[in-house]
Amino acid sequence: MKVAVLALQGAFIEHEQMLQSLGVETFQVRQLLDWQQHKDALIIPGGESTTQMRLLQTSGLLHPVRQAILRGLPVFGTCAGLILLAKQEDGQPRSGLCTLDIDVHRNAYGRQLGSFHATGNVAGIATDFPMTFIRAPYVRRTLSPDVEILSEADGRIVAVRQGRQLATAFHPELTADTRLHQYFIETV
Ligand code: GLN
């Protein structure tokens, strides 16, 4: 199995390290040439969604990545990755990858609560999962019955799945807990 990790910006190395610790081969995607390699799944890391979006556009990756996800390539987006997958932001259409039927709110927790840790259950995947939030978004609402809510923190949706798309508002790659990555790999 080979997993592509979008490496335009953000915490992509941590995802690679976690996958490699699970014995999964990874490669970084920065340009179209990288993208042309065979891949069984894609990871979109946390970071800054506006920067990643700009780089997706200028690199020419936006359209092929979107098409691949729509055709069923399994994808796991964390934090900024969740934002890039979302179809709406604050009730308005987003210009991102727009493959996931959710409405997000960005930088949801204000300045003082910019970063925090919580522990929560991820339905059917993990109990007492450590969640690291860094200027995180949350999911305001789901836009399709196909979207399954996997986790809530403080009454806010923070993890969802829709078909082969998995997205979390928190950063599982920044903890030592590999259960979500393990789950993602198993579904691939
Ligand atoms: N606040 C960032 C954004 O809007 C996301 C933060 C993160 O990925 N840790 O893109």
Side-chain angles (χ1 to χ4, degrees):
M1 182 189 305
K2 217 169 171 189
V3 176
V5 179
L6 194 65
L8 298 169
Q9 186 268 341
F12 51 88
I13 288 170
E14 290 81 353
H15 276 290
E16 284 197 289
Q17 286 169 345
M18 193 162 256
L19 289 168
Q20 285 162 10
S21 80
L22 295 171
V24 174
E25 206 182 324
T26 65
F27 66 94
Q28 299 183 356
V29 176
R30 294 173 202 276
Q31 52 178 332
L32 276 173
L33 207 60
D34 307 324
W35 182 249
Q36 280 153 15
Q37 293 179 64
H38 168 79
K39 58 216 157 281
D40 300 295
L42 169 68
I43 298 251
I44 306 180
E48 188 51 50
S49 56
T50 45
T51 307
Q52 289 192 33
M53 178 56 193
R54 187 165 38 78
L55 294 170
L56 275 171
Q57 280 173 317
T58 54
S59 63
L61 282 164
L62 183 66
H63 186 68
V65 170
R66 179 163 197 275
Q67 288 308 314
I69 296 170
L70 289 175
R71 286 197 201 105
L73 181 72
V75 62
F76 182 12
T78 59
C79 204
L82 172 145
I83 297 168
L84 285 166
L85 292 170
K87 282 196 180 165
Q88 290 186 11
E89 177 177 342
D90 296 328
Q92 302 299 316
R94 272 189 58 79
S95 57
L97 290 162
C98 302
T99 53
L100 186 57
D101 284 295
I102 55 171
D103 178 6
V104 294
H105 182 65
R106 290 176 60 202
N107 300 322
Y109 300 91
R111 280 191 85 135
Q112 280 167 321
L113 279 178
S115 301
F116 63 97
H117 298 276
T119 304
N121 295 341
V122 186
I125 302 173
T127 50
D128 295 327
F129 194 83
M131 299 174 175
T132 300
F133 294 87
I134 303 170
R135 293 186 305 107
Y138 69 86
V139 178
R140 294 175 72 218
R141 61 194 183 108
T142 58
L143 303 171
S144 157
D146 296 340
V147 180
E148 196 181 335
I149 296 169
L150 298 180
S151 188
E152 293 185 38
D154 272 344
R156 288 170 165 177
I157 302 167
V158 294
V160 293
R161 177 176 52 203
Q162 180 176 16
R164 291 181 171 153
Q165 302 183 69
L166 175 68
T168 62
F170 51 90
H171 288 265
E173 78 284 8
L174 299 183
T175 69
D177 197 317
T178 58
R179 285 177 292 172
L180 263 185
H181 284 75
Q182 183 85 52
Y183 164 79
F184 178 62
I185 292 315
E186 279 164 16
T187 61
V188 172

